[in-house]
C-alpha cells in the first residue's frame, strides 16, 4: 500500500515537487482481490453445514433417478462421496479460519481500504488515469511473478455456484482451469502451480486463479495500463519482476504420469465388463483407491512448495537472504593507477541507486527555514583566503530548476537547497515538510584564487564512493581510489594519486574517505601539494571535471567552472 500512498501524494494537487524517486515493492497499483478473500475467510464457517446438507440431498436425488443398476453399491458410493464433501467443507472452513487468524488482518467490509483496493474501484480508476507531467519524480517498480496469488471466492460465479456445488470442488476446478490458461509456460513453477492450486482449492477452498505474489497479481504489481507508467516515453519508469516461485518441486511430473496411467487402467477395467462383468467394479475401486494413495504422496511436495512461496514471496524483497540471491547487472569501471573492476550489484541496489551527482555546496540563511527570502545572499562553495568568492541572491540560485530529464542534466553541476514549510494535517495541526530543491549552478565569476572547493555529493551512500577524480583544465589530475571494505574513517580507506599531462599516476598518500556520510566533500588544494594555485587555476580558462564511481559501480562525469555555463576568471 505504500506505493499507492506515495503515488496518491506525488500525483495530487498537494505535491510539493520534493520527491526524487518513488520505489514500489510489489504494490497493488491496479488493486487486488486478496482482501475479498480475507473477508470470505472471516464468515466462511457460518454456512458450510447448510450447503453440505443441500448438496447431499441433490446427490441422493440424482442417484435415485440415474443410478438404478445396482442401488446398494451406488448409494453407498454416493453416501461416502457426500460425507466426503461435508468433510471437505468443514475442513475448508477450519483451514480458512486458521489462516485468517494467523494472518490477523482484521479488515471489515465497510472499511474504506477494502473498497479502494478492489480492482476497478472509482478511486483506483481515477488515480491510474492521471497522465504523466514533468513535475513527477522517477518511478521504480518491483513486482512478483510466477507464484500463486490469493483471490476472492466470488470470482467466476463461485459465490452462486456454491449453493449446489461444494466450494472445495468448485475452487479446485476453477483454480486448475485458470492456472492452465496462463501463458507463462516458461515459468518453472507453471505445472507446480496447476497442481498446487488444485490441491489447495480442494482441501482449503482457496481461490488461487492468478499469478504474482501471494497478495498482488503480476498485472497489478507491474502497474499494467497505469497512465503515469506507460503512456509517456518521457516518464522515468523502470519495471523489474522478481521470482515469487523459488520453492519449485518437480514431483508434479511423476504425479501427472501416475494419473495418466490410472486413467488408462480405468479404461482397460471398463473393458472387463465385456468379458468378466463381475470383476469390473472391484477392479475400478482398487485402481481408484491405490491411485489416490500414491498420488497423495506426489501432490504433497508441490503443494508444500507453493505454500512456502505464498508465505514468503510478498516480503521477499525486504529479506537479506533473498537479496543475496537476486544479483543484477554488472558495472565495469577503470581503476587507478591501472586495470578495471566489475561490480555485481543486487537487484534492489539497482532500484535504490542512481548515478552519483555532485552539487556545489550552498550555505545561506534560507537553509532549513520555512519562508524563502529571495534577497538573502547565498555562498556557493568557492572560498578564498578571506571567505566566499561566489555570493548570489536566492532568486538567482533558484532561477534554473534541475529536473534530470536528460543525460545533459546529469553531466552539469547542481546546487541543492534545503528548506522547510508547514502544511495543515488531517487533525488541523501544522506538519513540517522538508523540501530538497536542485538547481543548475548560475554563472559565477570570481576575482581571486580559490583555496577551497566545497561540494555535496548526492548518493545513497556518498561515504562509500569507490573513486573520485578531479581534472583541472585537462592538465592536472588528483584522484581517490577507495577500498569500501574498510571503514570510511580508516586512515587507509583511500589512496590518493596525482598526475600531470596525462602521464603516469603517482601515489601521494593514504587517508580517510574524503566524503562524509552527509555528502559533504571539501577539497583544499594546499593539502595535496598544490601550493602554487597557478597549476590548477588560470585566467578565464578554468574548467574542472569531476568523475565519481559509487558503491555499485555506477559512474558519472560532470564538468563545471567552464564550458560557458560557469565562466571563472581567476587572477593572482
Amino acid at each position: 500500500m505504500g506505493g499507492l500512498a506515495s503515488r496518491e501524494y506525488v500525483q495530487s494537487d498537494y505535491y510539493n515537487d520534493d520527491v526524487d524517486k518513488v520505489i514500489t515493492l510489489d504494490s497493488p497499483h491496479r488493486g487486488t482481490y486478496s482482501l475479498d478473500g480475507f473477508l470470505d475467510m472471516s464468515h466462511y464457517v457460518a454456512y458450510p453445514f447448510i450447503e453440505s446438507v443441500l448438496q447431499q440431498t441433490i446427490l441422493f436425488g440424482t442417484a435415485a433417478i440415474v443410478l438404478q443398476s445396482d442401488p446398494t453399491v451406488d448409494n453407498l458410493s454416493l453416501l461416502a462421496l457426500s460425507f466426503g464433501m461435508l468433510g471437505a467443507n468443514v475442513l475448508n472452513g477450519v483451514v480458512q479460519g486458521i489462516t485468517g487468524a494467523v494472518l490477523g488482518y482484521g479488515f471489515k467490509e465497510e472499511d474504506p481500504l477494502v473498497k479502494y483496493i478492489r480492482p476497478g474501484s472509482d478511486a483506483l480508476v481515477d488515480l491510474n488515469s492521471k497522465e504523466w507531467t514533468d513535475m513527477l519524480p522517477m518511478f521504480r517498480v518491483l513486482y512478483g511473478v510466477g507464484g500463486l496469488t490469493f483471490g476472492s471466492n466470488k470470482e467466476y460465479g463461485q459465490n452462486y455456484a456454491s449453493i449446489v456445488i461444494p466450494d472445495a470442488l468448485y475452487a479446485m476446478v476453477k483454480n486448475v482451469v485458470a492456472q492452465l490458461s496462463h501463458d507463462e509456460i516458461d515459468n518453472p513453477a507453471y505445472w507446480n502451480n496447476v497442481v498446487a492450486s488444485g490441491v489447495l482449492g480442494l482441501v482449503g477452498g482457496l481461490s488461487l486463479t492468478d499469478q504474482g505474489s501471494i497478495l498482488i497479481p503480476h498485472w497489478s504489481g507491474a502497474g499494467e495500463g497505469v497512465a503515469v507508467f506507460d503512456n509517456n516515453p518521457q516518464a522515468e519508469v523502470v519495471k523489474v519482476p522478481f521470482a515469487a516461485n523459488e520453492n519449485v518441486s518437480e514431483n508434479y511430473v511423476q504425479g501427472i504420469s501416475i494419473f495418466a496411467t490410472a486413467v488408462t487402467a480405468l479404461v482397460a477395467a471398463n473393458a472387463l465388463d465385456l468379458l468378466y462383468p463381475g470383476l469390473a467394479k472391484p477392479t475400478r475401486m482398487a485402481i481408484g483407491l491405490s491411485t489416490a494413495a500414491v498420488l497423495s504422496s506426489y501432490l504433497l511436495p508441490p503443494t508444500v512448495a507453493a505454500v512456502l512461496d505464498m508465505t514468503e514471496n510478498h516480503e521477499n524483497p525486504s529479506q537479506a537472504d533473498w537479496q543475496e540471491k537476486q544479483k543484477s547487472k554488472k558495472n565495469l569501471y577503470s581503476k587507478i593507477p591501472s586495470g578495471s573492476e566489475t561490480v555485481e550489484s543486487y537487484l534492489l541496489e539497482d532500484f535504490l541507486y542512481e548515478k552519483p551527482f555532485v552539487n556545489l555546496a550552498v550555505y545561506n540563511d534560507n537553509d532549513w527555514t520555512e519562508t524563502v527570502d529571495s534577497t538573502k545572499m547565498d555562498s556557493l562553495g568557492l572560498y578564498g583566503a578571506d571567505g566566499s568568492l561566489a555570493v548570489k541572491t536566492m532568486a538567482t540560485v533558484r532561477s534554473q530548476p534541475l529536473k534530470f530529464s536528460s543525460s545533459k542534466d546529469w553531466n552539469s553541476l547542481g546546487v541543492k537547497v534545503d528548506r522547510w514549510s508547514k502544511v495543515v494535517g488531517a487533525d488541523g495541526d501544522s506538519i513540517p515538510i522538508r523540501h530538497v530543491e536542485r538547481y543548475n549552478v548560475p554563472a559565477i565569476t570570481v576575482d581571486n584564487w580559490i583555496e577551497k572547493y566545497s561540494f555535496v555529493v548526492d548518493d545513497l551512500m556518498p561515504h562509500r564512493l569507490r573513486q573520485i577524480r578531479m581534472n583541472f583544465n585537462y592538465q592536472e589530475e588528483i584522484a581517490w581510489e577507495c577500498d569500501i571494505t574498510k571503514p570510511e574513517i580508516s586512515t587507509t580507506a583511500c589512496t590518493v594519486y596525482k598526475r600531470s599531462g596525462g602521464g603516469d599516476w603517482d601515489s601521494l598518500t593514504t587517508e580517510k574517505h574524503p566524503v562524509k556520510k552527509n555528502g559533504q566533500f571539501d577539497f583544499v588544494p594546499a593539502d595535496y601539494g598544490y601550493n602554487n594555485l597557478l597549476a590548477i587555476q588560470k585566467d578565464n580558462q578554468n574548467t574542472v571535471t569531476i568523475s565519481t564511481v559509487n558503491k555499485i559501480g555506477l559512474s558519472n562525469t560532470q564538468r563545471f567552472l567552464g564550458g560557458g555555463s560557469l565562466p571563472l576568471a581567476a587572477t593572482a
Side-chain angles (χ1 to χ4, degrees):
M1 288 303 299
L4 280 175
S6 299
R7 285 183 50 218
E8 284 279 11
Y9 169 62
V10 301
Q11 293 183 256
S12 72
D13 295 335
Y14 302 101
Y15 178 46
N16 287 297
D17 195 19
D18 53 359
V19 178
D20 279 337
K21 184 193 303 182
V22 173
I23 300 173
T24 69
L25 305 180
D26 208 28
S27 295
H29 294 289
R30 287 184 51 201
T32 175
Y33 291 109
S34 58
L35 286 190
D36 282 335
F38 293 138
L39 289 170
D40 290 338
M41 287 181 187
S42 65
H43 57 73
Y44 185 85
V45 186
Y47 54 82
F49 180 77
I50 298 174
E51 283 188 350
S52 297
V53 171
L54 178 59
Q55 289 154 7
Q56 288 179 65
T57 304
I58 293 173
L59 285 170
F60 277 119
T62 303
I65 296 172
V66 178
L67 301 175
Q68 300 178 12
S69 60
D70 192 342
T72 302
V73 174
D74 291 327
N75 284 335
L76 286 175
S77 299
L78 283 173
L79 181 63
L81 179 61
S82 62
F83 276 105
M85 290 179 177
L86 172 62
N89 268 323
V90 173
L91 180 60
N92 183 358
V94 171
V95 168
Q96 294 201 25
I98 292 174
T99 306
V102 171
L103 292 174
Y105 282 86
F107 290 112
K108 296 180 180 179
E109 183 68 35
E110 61 270 20
D111 290 343
L113 180 61
V114 174
K115 296 180 179 179
Y116 178 93
I117 207 65
R118 277 195 190 116
S121 71
D122 291 342
L124 278 180
V125 170
D126 179 63
L127 176 64
N128 291 335
S129 62
K130 292 182 178 179
E131 297 290 342
W132 179 86
T133 70
D134 60 5
M135 295 287 290
L136 289 175
M138 298 175 281
F139 290 96
R140 301 293 181 265
V141 181
L142 188 68
Y143 60 99
V145 295
L148 291 174
T149 300
F150 191 60
S152 170
N153 286 352
K154 297 182 178 70
E155 295 177 296
Y156 302 94
Q158 183 175 345
N159 52 330
Y160 302 110
S162 63
I163 298 175
V164 294
I165 303 174
D167 259 337
L169 183 60
Y170 196 98
M172 177 191 72
V173 175
K174 176 185 72 171
N175 290 347
V176 169
V177 172
Q179 290 298 327
L180 284 171
S181 68
H182 287 288
D183 56 6
E184 299 91 342
I185 303 297
D186 58 343
N187 175 6
Y190 179 82
W191 289 106
N192 198 110
N193 287 347
V194 172
V195 172
S197 66
V199 172
L200 292 171
L202 181 62
V203 175
L206 301 180
S207 179
L208 300 163
T209 55
D210 252 316
Q211 291 188 2
S213 69
I214 181 175
L215 297 178
I216 315 298
H218 66 89
W219 46 265
S220 181
E224 295 178 5
V226 173
V228 75
F229 294 159
D230 298 338
N231 289 6
N232 195 307
Q234 296 183 55
E236 272 261 12
V237 181
V238 177
K239 297 181 181 181
V240 176
F242 71 88
N245 53 8
E246 295 186 321
N247 299 293
V248 178
S249 169
E250 299 294 335
N251 285 60
Y252 63 82
V253 177
Q254 295 93 327
I256 292 172
S257 299
I258 291 170
F259 182 75
T261 303
V263 171
T264 303
L266 287 172
V267 171
N270 284 330
L272 288 175
D273 271 332
L274 300 176
L275 301 174
Y276 307 100
L279 292 178
K281 286 188 176 181
T283 302
R284 288 200 301 268
M285 186 176 296
I287 293 172
L289 291 174
S290 59
T291 301
V294 175
L295 271 179
S296 63
S297 64
Y298 284 97
L299 296 180
L300 182 60
T303 304
V304 171
V307 171
L308 284 174
D309 279 330
M310 291 169 67
T311 57
E312 298 170 356
N313 56 30
H314 183 61
E315 296 183 354
N316 271 347
S318 64
Q319 305 302 311
D321 58 342
W322 180 87
Q323 294 176 28
E324 286 290 334
K325 295 182 287 186
Q326 301 294 322
K327 295 290 187 178
S328 186
K329 61 186 178 183
K330 298 179 180 180
N331 298 310
L332 177 70
Y333 73 99
S334 298
K335 297 197 70 173
I336 297 171
S338 62
S340 61
E341 183 172 351
T342 298
V343 181
E344 187 175 20
S345 57
Y346 297 118
L347 176 60
L348 278 186
E349 284 182 322
D350 283 339
F351 265 48
L352 296 171
Y353 280 91
E354 298 293 335
K355 294 186 293 186
F357 187 79
V358 178
N359 303 274
L360 201 60
V362 181
Y363 299 100
N364 62 64
D365 292 334
N366 283 294
D367 280 352
W368 309 103
T369 58
E370 183 175 348
T371 303
V372 175
D373 185 346
S374 62
T375 65
K376 291 182 179 179
M377 305 297 283
D378 298 335
S379 175
L380 302 184
L382 303 175
Y383 298 91
D386 299 323
S388 178
L389 299 176
V391 178
K392 298 287 181 180
T393 63
M394 190 67 175
T396 302
V397 172
R398 301 178 76 214
S399 62
Q400 298 182 53
L402 191 56
K403 288 295 184 181
F404 298 101
S405 57
S406 68
S407 58
K408 180 181 177 182
D409 293 329
W410 283 97
N411 296 142
S412 61
L413 184 72
V415 292
K416 184 168 72 170
V417 177
D418 285 312
R419 65 182 182 84
W420 289 87
S421 66
K422 290 182 179 180
V423 298
V424 179
D427 58 0
D429 294 334
S430 294
I431 301 172
I433 300 293
R434 179 191 178 191
H435 301 268
V436 179
E437 301 170 344
R438 289 185 185 82
Y439 305 94
N440 283 297
V441 173
I444 297 175
T445 300
V446 300
D447 58 4
N448 209 334
W449 299 104
I450 302 172
E451 299 193 11
K452 184 177 80 169
Y453 298 80
S454 187
F455 306 104
V456 176
V457 180
D458 273 336
D459 191 67
L460 188 64
M461 299 182 73
H463 60 298
R464 310 309 284 156
L465 291 182
R466 292 176 179 269
Q467 187 182 100
I468 306 166
R469 296 173 63 168
M470 295 182 68
N471 180 294
F472 299 90
N473 299 314
Y474 309 103
Q475 181 66 29
E476 289 291 325
E477 288 185 85
I478 184 170
W480 291 259
E481 187 72 31
C482 302
D483 182 354
I484 66 169
T485 64
K486 296 180 179 181
E488 71 274 11
I489 59 174
S490 170
T491 55
T492 61
C494 300
T495 302
V496 184
Y497 295 90
K498 290 175 64 176
R499 71 174 178 177
S500 299
D504 294 335
W505 288 100
D506 294 324
S507 176
L508 181 64
T509 185
T510 61
E511 64 179 26
K512 300 176 183 179
H513 202 291
V515 184
K516 296 181 180 180
K517 288 185 177 181
N518 64 0
Q520 182 180 342
F521 170 41
D522 293 332
F523 172 64
V524 178
D527 291 345
Y528 299 94
Y530 294 112
N531 297 311
N532 182 1
L533 293 177
L534 188 61
I536 61 174
Q537 299 172 22
K538 302 182 184 300
D539 278 346
N540 295 315
Q541 187 183 346
N542 279 276
T543 299
V544 179
T545 303
I546 183 165
S547 301
T548 48
V549 179
N550 67 11
K551 178 179 179 289
I552 68 169
L554 294 176
S555 60
N556 192 28
T557 298
Q558 298 165 253
R559 185 172 299 161
F560 53 96
L561 301 183
S565 62
L566 190 60
L568 173 63
T571 58

